Amino acid sequence: MDEGTGRRIPELMAPAGSPEALHAAVAAGADAVYLSGKRFGARRYAPNFDREEMAGIISYCHERDISVYVTINTLIADSEMEDAIGDALHLYRCGVDAIIIQDIGLFALLHRFVPGLALHASTQMTVHSVEGIRAVYVLGARRVVLAREMTLPEITTAGEVARELGVGLEVFVHGALCYSYSGQCLLSSLIGGRSGNRGACAQPCRKPYELVFWSEDAFGRPERMRRAGRGPSYLLSPRDLCTYPRIEEIAAAPVDALKIEGRMRSPEYVSAVVSVYRRALDAAAAGRFAPSKDAMRLLLEAFNREFTGGYLLDARKGTVMGTDFAANRGLLVGHVEKMGPSAKTAVVRLTGMHTPAAGDGMVITAMPDRSDAVGVVLRRDPEVKGGMVELPVHQRVQAGAAVYLTSGKEIAALHQQILHEPLRAPLPLSLHLKFAGATPVLSGKVRTRRGEVSYELASAIPMEPARTQPVPEEKLRELIGRTGDVPYRIEDFAIDYPGGLFSPIGVINAFRRSFFEGLGHTIAAQYLPDPEEADAAERRIEDYLRRRTIAPPPPFGEAPAVSVWAATLEGVRAAVDGGCTRVCFEPSCARNGDAGGADTPAAGSERMAASLTA
């Protein structure tokens, strides 16, 4: 909440798929981070964190008043349940703020045996209605990550019910969208054996497909198959969600957290996106938010598949899908006017969004799917005249072709700047230095979101009566008041100094460092559970696991099943005749229509499907 205006602002939650991304999120101003262990997260191929790293990361964030949510958001097999419960209990002892869960069985067990552990319902649980919120509330959910298919009016209505129940709501505001409801898609598992519900989605929705039509013969078999269009396109690929221009409207909704997707993204991406939303939310809290062209440029340059307001803002107006291209589009910087005099350069009219500079990587393309893309890397700053610039090319490009910036130095430079000059506001600290005889005693009070924390430390090495030059009070204030890279801002500093004492500067500096270290540990300790309750929870779990029975694992040594791919009915028949029990039938079709020559289907007489383009 902004102290000046009293406006309530939701928590800004950032992705942390690696230690580097986590530090970027903290520096860029995130209120919370979400991350995963090595086994049970929905982003298995991110670096993620092991148990030892997790304990340190949780403490690091809590010392900075940042919440930590850990995902165990895959479906858990019977044989894995003990390990998943063990991971959750370890996180509980580390003081994690909450665990984000998909598996309903794990959810029920943790709520039953570890009641002090906060549980959040993952978006993988597909909660998209008031009834869904009520259902996970009964399970013990303290917060629900809503399905990305919900609109803002629907969320507003659901928020009224959620508040009555005491359940928080969390919504995605930026990043990749799934083609299906999260948690309900089996396409990756079906096509490649990599299940999205096991953290291994291969993103088949980002592959090119072609739409085909066919008729059926008297036996219901497909015939007269042909393409519906002129070539493959990315029929299942959604655009990326971006709500920045309307973030003030979303922040005013009854939601507790605004979430940025991207645990597979780079630290530079995290810095750029989190910093844009941090500044936007701070401006909204102060009542002065206005969308910025520079901020949108940063978001586009960081990564985009073309932006959409998603179901959240655009309702169901057909803006979600981006079927012409499925990878990073980059930032549109201009269009080709003509080839240069030497035929080795292209004259480009700039849009004004970016001025090309040395180190930029660009793509020139006239085709929506970029099948004609020509890459450009600038070795030096080009000369710009009248909004025009000549770019080096190794082949001819079409007039009117679009020029996109796909990599540049600005995002990397911003990342380094944020790491050295964090946007995260330091915690306000009040200090009092007093003396017990000649021994310095430093006490401090710091305000966190959980309340005020106090800490006091007496120096292990007393000062001594000065023989020649005592340490003046101003010098003590300077040495003790050096905050350096600790996350505090000294608001007031009282000193009761008798004077006439001496101590080496190194000893005073070591005393200051010990104080700040102890203060950080004291802040982090607020989040830790009562040791007796943690021990009791562990005993309850151990007792349950001793009595638990599970089905035996499938036997090994069985002959592997053979699947055959076939493109024709003759191929299917041959596979079956050969003893195959599983056939993947992907019908082929003529490039230019069937023998009848028609490229469009007869109304009511044909079927339609999409097939993956090889």
Side-chain angles (χ1 to χ4, degrees):
M1 180 177 291
D2 183 84
E3 295 181 359
T5 65
R7 290 193 181 189
R8 172 191 164 277
I9 292 297
E11 177 181 73
L12 178 61
M13 188 187 304
S18 68
E20 296 78 13
L22 181 135
H23 287 99
V26 170
D31 298 310
V33 294
Y34 67 102
L35 46 98
S36 177
K38 294 289 188 179
R39 291 193 61 188
F40 302 116
R43 296 292 182 270
R44 183 193 299 178
Y45 300 111
N48 297 318
F49 302 87
D50 61 29
R51 280 195 173 194
E52 291 184 5
E53 290 175 316
M54 197 72 78
I57 286 298
I58 292 173
S59 179
Y60 171 85
C61 290
H62 284 167
E63 288 178 17
R64 288 154 178 78
D65 202 24
I66 295 170
S67 299
V68 181
Y69 306 114
V70 177
T71 64
I72 303 183
N73 58 340
T74 59
L75 297 181
I76 309 297
D78 272 340
S79 59
E80 300 168 328
M81 191 62 74
E82 182 173 349
D83 288 343
I85 293 174
D87 283 357
L89 187 59
H90 172 72
L91 293 168
Y92 176 54
R93 288 188 179 277
C94 291
V96 70
D97 291 88
I99 297 179
I100 304 171
I101 297 178
Q102 175 186 13
D103 190 277
I104 193 170
L106 178 64
F107 211 113
L109 287 173
L110 291 177
H111 178 57
R112 176 182 174 187
F113 295 125
V114 197
L117 176 60
L119 305 178
H120 292 181
S122 169
T123 191
Q124 293 287 108
M125 292 187 81
T126 325
V127 178
H128 59 91
S129 64
V130 168
E131 288 73 19
I133 293 171
R134 288 196 176 104
V136 294
Y137 165 73
V138 172
L139 281 176
R142 298 190 193 178
R143 182 186 288 181
V144 180
V145 188
L146 293 173
R148 279 169 272 203
E149 289 73 19
M150 292 186 72
T151 66
L152 191 56
E154 289 171 339
I155 291 170
T156 300
T157 300
E160 298 172 1
V161 174
R163 285 190 174 174
E164 291 176 3
L165 297 173
V167 176
L169 298 183
E170 179 177 311
V171 297
F172 282 92
V173 294
H174 194 93
L177 293 172
C178 293
Y179 174 74
S180 175
Y181 282 93
S182 295
Q184 301 297 314
C185 184
L186 303 179
L187 186 58
S188 178
S189 180
L190 178 67
I191 290 179
R194 287 174 49 178
S195 173
N197 288 319
R198 300 283 289 165
C201 180
Q203 298 192 41
C205 55
R206 305 297 182 188
K207 302 295 184 182
Y209 293 82
E210 55 188 4
L211 200 62
V212 297
F213 291 92
W214 73 87
S215 301
E216 291 183 353
D217 65 12
F219 300 97
R221 297 174 299 189
E223 65 177 5
R224 296 169 56 85
M225 304 189 69
R226 58 184 177 275
R227 294 170 182 261
R230 294 296 179 184
S233 61
Y234 298 88
L235 299 176
L236 305 182
S237 180
R239 296 171 179 168
D240 284 350
L241 178 65
C242 175
T243 66
Y244 163 75
R246 295 173 62 184
I247 195 64
E248 188 170 25
E249 182 180 348
I250 299 171
V255 297
D256 296 85
L258 308 179
K259 192 171 194 174
I260 295 169
E261 184 274 339
R263 279 187 286 154
M264 298 288 285
R265 299 281 175 232
S266 68
E268 290 79 9
Y269 172 91
V270 173
S271 287
V273 176
V274 174
S275 66
V276 166
Y277 281 89
R278 175 74 279 152
R279 290 188 173 101
L281 288 172
D282 289 347
R288 51 179 174 76
F289 172 72
S292 159
K293 178 180 176 181
D294 288 340
M296 278 302 300
R297 178 174 51 79
L298 275 176
L299 294 175
L300 287 164
E301 188 177 341
F303 188 93
N304 80 91
R305 296 184 181 93
E306 193 173 359
F307 285 145
T308 172
Y311 299 108
L312 180 66
L313 296 178
D314 293 348
R316 296 169 179 92
K317 299 178 182 177
T319 66
V320 171
M321 303 304 294
T323 58
D324 54 346
F325 193 60
N328 182 24
R329 294 171 185 261
L331 175 67
L332 179 65
V333 297
H335 292 88
V336 175
E337 288 280 310
K338 60 182 179 180
M339 290 297 295
S342 67
K344 293 184 178 180
T345 61
V347 180
V348 175
R349 181 176 297 279
L350 299 175
T351 62
M353 289 290 285
H354 175 78
T355 300
D360 284 351
M362 299 183 178
V363 167
I364 302 175
T365 177
M367 299 293 290
D369 63 358
R370 303 198 178 184
S371 56
D372 64 338
V374 174
V376 175
V377 177
L378 297 184
R379 306 298 181 188
R380 55 186 176 82
D381 292 341
E383 184 178 1
V384 179
K385 292 183 178 179
M388 308 284 281
V389 66
E390 285 193 35
L391 300 180
V393 292
H394 61 271
Q395 66 185 66
R396 294 190 66 84
V397 292
Q398 293 184 32
V403 182
Y404 293 90
L405 174 72
T406 54
S407 64
K409 296 188 295 184
E410 185 173 2
I411 295 293
L414 175 65
H415 174 61
Q416 292 301 320
Q417 178 185 342
I418 286 174
L419 290 180
H420 289 94
E421 301 175 15
L423 299 181
R424 178 75 187 174
L427 301 176
L429 172 65
S430 297
L431 290 178
H432 182 201
L433 178 63
K434 58 186 178 181
F435 284 78
T439 300
V441 179
L442 184 60
S443 60
K445 294 181 179 180
V446 62
R447 294 196 304 274
T448 73
R449 287 182 291 172
R450 288 202 166 202
E452 187 175 81
V453 177
S454 299
Y455 177 69
E456 183 174 278
L457 179 68
S459 175
I461 304 176
M463 298 180 74
E464 300 175 351
R467 296 179 182 177
T468 55
Q469 293 185 336
V471 178
E473 181 176 315
E474 293 75 16
K475 188 64 175 179
L476 278 176
R477 185 181 300 275
E478 176 203 341
L479 294 174
I480 298 296
R482 291 177 181 174
T483 53
D485 58 355
V486 297
Y488 311 111
R489 180 187 75 254
I490 298 176
E491 285 193 326
D492 56 84
F493 189 179
I495 298 181
D496 295 324
Y497 178 43
L501 299 176
F502 173 80
S503 181
I505 290 177
V507 172
I508 298 174
N509 286 336
F511 174 50
R512 180 195 68 242
R513 288 192 293 268
S514 295
F515 172 82
F516 283 133
E517 182 179 356
L519 176 60
H521 292 334
T522 302
I523 294 172
Q526 294 182 103
Y527 296 82
L528 299 177
D530 179 83
E532 292 185 3
E533 174 52 35
D535 291 341
E538 186 166 3
R539 288 193 297 270
R540 290 191 292 268
I541 289 171
E542 289 174 349
D543 180 63
Y544 167 77
L545 292 175
R546 278 195 300 269
R547 294 181 288 105
R548 178 175 181 257
T549 58
I550 62 174
F556 292 97
E558 294 182 355
V562 176
S563 300
V564 172
W565 174 87
T568 65
L569 290 176
E570 290 75 12
V572 173
R573 187 175 295 109
V576 173
D577 290 344
C580 183
T581 58
R582 181 176 181 180
V583 180
C584 299
F585 180 39
E586 184 177 332
S588 60
C589 57
R591 289 282 173 181
N592 297 308
D594 64 3
D599 284 329
T600 57
S605 64
E606 299 187 328
R607 301 284 180 96
M608 176 177 67
S611 64
L612 179 64
T613 302

